């Protein structure tokens, strides 16, 4: 398994680590059983994400995807952040090994989950989150080739 | 140059120079096929005979009881399937443990799909099976008991002598995966009543891709690899001549140096354990404090995850492992750690550092200086950690 | 120094210096376990990936269709047992030939004891199967056709393309033992419709103890060696890193040099055949004159026995073989030669001389000078020979 | 498989190769199917083997055992020659590989067979040859370990 330089950079020097007190939206996805939990805090002013922080228990790629995801949504509108896909996260990191794609899914979910929390708290209806289920499990532990 | 500290000797070892030196002539000069009649073949055959004797001597066996294989996994597969298929008419029950290497576990699972029944013994919090569990598991259908000598992840050493007494009394064939124990524990197959034993060269400073199965004289089993008449018709395939030569040398060195080796790695191991325990909170040592491979350290650090720990250490030039190397392609927590009763979170946060002959005291000092900082950094990022 | 002329390249080859050079760093420096996450593991993994690509390229396959094994015999065993067990529900019939290597024949015989039926196709006087025999042998139970590309004793090359057409039409899995053909014949698994193909490094100036099985994407088979997640979970065991690196290099060299190699050995081969035929009476060339491995010579000398011929040549520094190296432990005449319809006496008097890249014209001249004398001396001692 | 120097000497420089015209006893054992035929010719004067020759189609060890066997019986009495055992032949050659012991049996049989021929031609009763059957097959082609 080989990580890109970008991944290693975000893993070793993660941006926006921490918590936000009185955050406007908090999302938590993953579970400790699978070895990964991502927690994301949003500070939203007007329609804009003015601050974002994360805490992650997980593999190197989970930490790197959390980090880059916070960068990618900071300063963006809620609407824009809603369109963050795991694919965009993977691309921004110059790729991820096949068995690590699900970590990027986790990052996308963490953002959505925090936005959902923000929407609920503010009684907003966010298009694109209707079908979103943050508890869905995207782990795929086995290779197709296994006998 | 960047520091590179290798603390993953249980995954594999570098070859010793003496081993390489002994192998060198067999690549380009003495390259004959040992089955050939001519002089090239005869010198190859002689080299193999010598290695077989060296290996036999190292474990108290006879030369004709040593059969070379392509590695430890092949030896495990051969022993287990070979005994199972050869004894189908006597019974269909196999006993093993929950903490075996995958080469044993997945082979047993394969046999389960083919009409065999397998009992997987539990282990206690330190990784020991209970002798009473074993006794209770035996039925009149039991044809094989396969239990590892020492565990590759947590280093726990099983009571092989006691088990051998039982299998001897009950006349059940006893296979031991000694891939990790060999070179780290004194082994005499007769004292221990072992009927079959798997070995692998690359764990004892020998070459990769060569292993051996000890088969006690008189024990019958099916072949795994059929074909030519090599290895007394029991394991076909042109012999890995340089590999066998290297394994022979490595085995000789391992038994000659056993005491010195144990002393060296144990001293460093104890220093590492003590140092970390003193500096870091929320950490436990997985495995047994006494019945433990001399070079094995396995820590569980709470609140953090193994891969990110490994990666961080790797950036500092420290090479360790979480779980066994073979399973690191998987995202599941180690089956061994789970069998000890650890929670998922803690199993995920485990780090194995294994010490070998080339490890120095400076290496350990460096780890003691860096590891606590890494753990702290990751904990700061963890949503599970509340100071 | 005593002359030593090696003419047993089909038994095994010396490693080329370029191959050894490429392997060297992986014994003591870049020795990591490819499954490990750390830098030692990653550089090992990269080396294996490169070798896999090199091998794939050499046979027109994709990298992910190459699986490394402990040799050609393991590849044969794996392919045949793996396909048989995975397709038990579809049928129990296998077709092969009477002149396969023992790694195929004994595997098929083992399967016969376990509920499978095997048809062993006859060959003609030159070692060719008849396509009609093959067509007629196919039943609705046929799950596998396994036919060697080129024979190790007599060098006869089978009509693989034609066979591949048939297996494709009939949707039967086609396994080819290409251990002898690889490096001597151009092979493209797609052109030839091959589904599985066995290779062995030590026959192409690579290391002993490493082989490969090509498995066409989508072909399902049971594993032979269960355990860790190596080789995409299909073949367990810590990878033979230097062996794989060496095999990759040897495969690259073999395909780059294919034309030159064929030209070189063919020229010497033809000279040897012509020279002996002119000088010696009562001798025939076993195998096919055209569809023949470029470096293979196989003579049947009447009235004398192979081992005494080999020994006499060995005393003169000439290393040859009678029958295949793998069977020389046995006293039976070669099953291949018997399948050609030779009498026992003549089969017993056969001599295989196989030519390789290091063979020189002087070597051949020396053989042409000495071999007739040896044959004559032994005939003088033979009760079967009447001038 | 490794032959002793003694074996190689007798193989490369076999003693007493050839035939004896009007031999007093001729023995032939083995068969071409198994890859070995030994033919032994005796010249007997009074009670003494004054000359002996052999021809052998067979492996190196077959040739060496024939050769040494001729040496061992030349100049001996018929009675002494009758006591030649394959074991003595093997010892005289400083040993043989396990799978080659049967070649020495062949040599013993060739001698006995020639003596039997001599006895028949001369209407003699030789003690020790009553149970001797020169067509018995001593080949054992397989190893005990085969699976
Ligand atoms: C045609 C053929 N198949 C299979 C093998 C077995 O290969 P290996 O000796 O590498 O196991 C050989 C050579 O021994 C061979 O010539
Ligand atoms: C306990 C144990 N058994 C078996 C094996 C398999 O050995 P190999 O990798 O040589 O196939 C290993 C190491 O990987 C091991 O640690
Ligand atoms: S978050 Fe599960 S492996 Fe990366
Ligand atoms: S005579 Fe049969 S092998 Fe020697």
């Amino acid at each position: 398994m080989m990580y890109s330089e970008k991944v290693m950079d975000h893993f070793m020097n993660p941006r926006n680590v921490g918590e936000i007190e009185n955050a406007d939206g908090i999302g938590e996805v993953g579970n400790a059983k699978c070895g990964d939990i991502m927690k994301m805090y949003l500070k939203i002013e007007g329609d804009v994400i003015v601050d974002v922080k994360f805490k992650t228990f997980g593999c190197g790629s989970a930490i790197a995807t959390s980090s880059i995801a916070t960068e990618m949504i900071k300063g963006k509108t809620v609407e824009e952040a809603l369109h963050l896909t795991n694919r965009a996260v993977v691309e921004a990191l110059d790729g991820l090994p096949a068995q690590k794609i699900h970590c990027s899914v986790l990052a996308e979910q963490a953002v959505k989950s925090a936005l959902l929390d923000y929407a609920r708290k503010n009684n907003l209806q966010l298009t694109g989150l209707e079908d979103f289920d943050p508890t869905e499990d995207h782990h795929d532990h086995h290779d197709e080739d296994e006998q | 140059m960047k520091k590179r500290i290798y603390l993953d000797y249980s995954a594999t070892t570098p070859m010793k120079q003496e081993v390489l030196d002994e192998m060198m002539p067999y690549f380009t000069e003495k390259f004959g096929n040992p089955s050939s009649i001519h002089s090239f073949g005869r010198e190859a055959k002689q080299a193999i005979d010598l290695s077989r004797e060296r290996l036999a001597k190292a474990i108290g066996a006879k030369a004709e009881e040593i059969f070379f294989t392509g590695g430890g996994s092949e030896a495990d597969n051969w022993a287990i399937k070979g005994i199972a298929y050869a004894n189908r008419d006597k019974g269909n029950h196999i006993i093993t443990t929950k903490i075996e290497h995958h080469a044993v576990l997945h082979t047993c699972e394969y046999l389960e799909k083919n009409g065999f029944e397998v009992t997987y013994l539990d282990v206690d919090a330190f990784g020991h099976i209970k002798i009473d569990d074993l006794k209770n598991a035996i039925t009149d259908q039991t044809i094989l008991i396969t239990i590892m000598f020492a565990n590759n992840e947590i280093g726990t050493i099983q009571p092989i002598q006691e088990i051998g007494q039982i299998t001897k009394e009950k006349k059940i064939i006893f296979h031991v995966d000694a891939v990790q124990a060999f070179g780290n524990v004194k082994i005499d197959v007769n004292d221990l009543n072992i009927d079959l034993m798997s070995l692998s060269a690359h764990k004892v400073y020998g070459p990769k891709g060569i292993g051996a199965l000890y088969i006690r004289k008189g024990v019958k089993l099916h072949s795994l690899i059929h074909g030519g008449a090599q290895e007394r018709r029991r394991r076909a395939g042109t012999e890995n001549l340089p590999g066998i030569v290297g394994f022979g040398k490595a085995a000789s060195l391992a038994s000659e140096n056993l005491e010195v080796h144990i002393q060296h790695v144990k001293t460093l191991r104890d220093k590492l354990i003590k140092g970390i325990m003193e500096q870091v909170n929320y950490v436990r040592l997985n495995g047994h404090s006494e019945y433990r491979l001399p070079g094995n350290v396995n820590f569980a650090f709470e609140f953090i995850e193994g891969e990110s720990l490994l990666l961080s250490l790797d950036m500092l030039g420290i090479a360790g492992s979480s779980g066994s190397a073979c399973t690191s392609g998987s995202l599941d927590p180690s089956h061994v750690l789970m069998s000890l009763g650890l929670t998922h979170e803690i199993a995920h946060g485990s780090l194995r550092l294994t010490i070998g002959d080339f490890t120095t005291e400076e290496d350990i000092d460096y780890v003691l200086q860096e590891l606590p900082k890494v753990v702290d950094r990751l904990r700061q990022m963890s949503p599970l950690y509340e100071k």
Side-chain angles (χ1 to χ4, degrees), chain A, chain B:
Chain A
M1 195 180 45
M2 217 88 55
Y3 288 132
S4 68
E5 275 179 40
K6 211 62 173 283
V7 173
M8 287 311 294
D9 175 37
H10 275 273
F11 169 63
M12 291 303 287
N13 312 296
R15 332 304 196 235
N16 306 309
V17 175
E19 298 171 10
I20 298 178
E21 267 182 66
N22 304 320
D24 298 307
I26 301 181
E28 177 171 331
V29 293
N31 71 63
K33 237 180 123 162
C34 297
D36 37 40
I37 297 178
M38 254 182 224
K39 215 161 166 183
M40 205 153 287
Y41 303 82
L42 303 179
K43 186 91 214 154
I44 299 177
E45 284 176 10
D47 200 26
V48 176
I49 299 170
V50 294
D51 199 12
V52 44
K53 297 258 185 232
F54 81 91
K55 281 212 164 178
T56 290
F57 162 78
C59 70
S61 139
I63 289 170
T65 53
S66 322
S67 164
I68 205 159
T70 60
E71 272 199 342
M72 290 170 83
I73 60 168
K74 197 165 173 177
K76 296 281 157 63
T77 63
V78 168
E79 177 64 22
E80 285 167 334
L82 265 178
H83 286 100
L84 180 82
T85 61
N86 83 298
R87 182 171 294 194
V89 169
V90 172
E91 269 169 28
L93 286 170
D94 294 341
L96 277 179
Q99 74 269 42
K100 290 293 181 179
I101 295 298
H102 82 98
C103 316
S104 67
V105 173
L106 222 52
E108 177 191 323
Q109 288 182 319
V111 171
K112 291 204 166 130
S113 186
L115 290 170
L116 193 66
D117 182 50
Y118 162 72
R120 281 205 189 118
K121 279 179 180 155
N122 296 279
N123 266 321
L124 299 174
Q125 191 67 20
L126 295 183
T127 46
L129 276 189
E130 297 82 3
D131 302 335
F132 173 66
D133 172 9
T135 62
E136 218 176 286
D137 189 356
H138 286 258
H139 267 114
D140 175 14
H141 287 194
H142 293 291
D143 197 88
E144 50 163 339
D145 276 328
E146 187 170 22
Q147 298 296 326
Chain B
M1 221 196 80
K2 213 187 124 197
K3 238 190 185 45
R4 284 186 90 187
I5 296 179
Y6 187 73
L7 289 174
D8 205 5
Y9 282 84
S10 276
T12 193
T13 59
M15 257 173 40
K16 289 198 171 160
Q17 190 59 44
E18 302 98 297
V19 173
L20 182 57
D21 290 345
E22 195 127 342
M23 290 166 70
M24 283 306 282
Y26 294 93
F27 289 115
T28 53
E29 299 155 43
K30 304 183 176 188
F31 62 85
N33 188 320
S35 302
S36 301
I37 282 186
H38 48 64
S39 65
F40 294 86
R42 289 198 308 271
E43 70 191 359
K45 180 76 164 51
Q46 274 180 310
I48 288 182
D49 289 345
L50 172 63
S51 278
R52 207 185 298 284
E53 274 159 31
R54 285 174 154 182
L55 224 69
K57 194 166 165 225
I59 60 168
K62 301 189 201 79
E64 66 266 27
E65 295 175 319
I66 303 292
F67 297 84
F68 291 107
T69 67
S73 298
E74 184 192 324
D76 283 340
N77 274 257
W78 181 17
I80 297 170
K81 291 181 204 164
I83 291 293
Y85 291 137
N87 292 280
R88 234 176 195 158
D89 52 333
K90 299 203 189 100
N92 74 339
H93 182 231
I94 297 169
I95 301 174
T96 185
T97 80
K98 289 199 172 143
I99 62 165
E100 296 299 308
H101 189 269
H102 281 152
V104 168
L105 284 184
H106 289 171
T107 300
C108 287
E109 288 159 14
Y110 182 73
L111 289 175
E112 282 186 288
K113 288 187 208 145
N114 288 278
F116 290 88
E117 297 199 1
V118 182
T119 301
Y120 300 90
L121 298 175
D122 282 319
V123 295
D124 65 21
F126 308 105
H128 265 149
I129 64 154
K130 295 184 206 88
I131 290 291
D132 280 342
D133 286 356
L134 173 64
K135 285 185 183 159
N136 293 334
I138 294 173
T139 73
D140 60 0
Q141 291 291 304
T142 308
I143 50 175
L144 172 68
I145 293 177
T146 171
I147 292 179
M148 73 198 316
F149 207 122
N151 184 270
N152 43 307
E153 295 189 39
I154 53 174
T156 302
I157 297 170
Q158 299 296 340
I160 296 296
Q161 178 126 38
E162 264 181 89
I163 301 169
Q165 276 308 329
I166 295 169
T167 58
K168 191 182 182 184
E169 271 163 35
K170 302 273 185 180
K171 296 197 173 44
I172 298 170
I173 294 169
F174 183 26
H175 168 247
V176 173
D177 175 345
V179 168
Q180 291 289 340
F182 183 58
N184 288 304
V185 182
K186 183 153 175 39
I187 302 179
D188 182 300
V189 287
N190 291 318
D191 286 354
L192 298 170
N193 289 311
I194 294 171
D195 294 312
L196 302 110
M197 187 165 80
S198 303
L199 302 171
S200 184
H202 72 96
K203 309 280 189 187
V204 289
Y205 312 96
K208 292 178 173 59
I210 186 80
L213 184 63
Y214 157 80
I215 307 175
R216 181 177 292 285
K217 196 161 169 59
V219 171
K220 301 244 177 281
L221 77 172
H222 283 197
S223 290
L224 184 67
I225 300 183
H226 295 86
Q230 293 91 352
E231 299 300 290
R232 305 181 72 218
R233 296 178 188 272
R234 292 183 132 180
R235 198 281 191 182
T238 301
E239 295 88 339
N240 178 349
L241 178 59
I244 289 173
V245 167
F247 195 6
K249 181 66 181 177
S252 283
L253 290 176
S255 50
E256 285 161 20
N257 301 339
L258 187 64
E259 294 309 318
V260 179
H261 162 79
I262 292 176
Q263 200 47 53
H264 175 73
V265 298
K266 210 176 203 166
T267 307
L268 296 180
R269 177 194 74 181
D270 292 342
K271 176 175 174 144
L272 178 55
I273 294 175
K274 190 156 164 286
I276 292 298
M277 291 300 195
E278 281 170 8
Q279 291 185 67
V280 183
N281 285 332
Y282 305 112
V283 56
R284 49 169 286 180
L285 183 70
N286 295 318
H288 202 284
S289 57
E290 189 182 346
Y291 300 104
R292 178 181 203 100
L293 285 175
N296 175 289
V297 177
N298 192 313
F299 293 121
F301 295 104
E302 286 186 58
F303 318 126
I304 60 180
E305 190 273 345
E307 198 220 69
S308 53
L309 187 51
L310 284 186
L311 272 181
S312 304
L313 290 174
D314 187 46
M315 295 305 286
L316 296 163
I318 301 170
S321 119
S322 71
S324 84
C326 301
T327 56
S328 68
S330 148
L331 305 169
D332 295 322
S334 143
H335 66 284
V336 175
L337 297 175
M338 293 307 292
S339 299
L340 301 181
L342 300 191
T343 62
H344 274 80
E345 296 90 299
I346 294 189
H348 273 296
S350 288
L351 173 72
R352 180 183 77 176
L353 298 174
T354 42
I355 294 164
D357 284 353
F358 299 118
T359 312
T360 63
E361 187 150 7
E362 292 73 56
D363 293 342
I364 301 301
D365 287 335
Y366 181 70
V367 174
L368 287 177
Q369 171 193 309
E370 298 298 332
L371 179 53
K373 291 191 259 175
V374 168
V375 170
D376 191 54
R377 190 181 83 90
L378 290 170
R379 283 183 176 167
Q380 296 302 333
M381 275 194 250
S382 170
L384 301 175
Y385 184 61
E386 319 278 346
K387 287 147 295 206

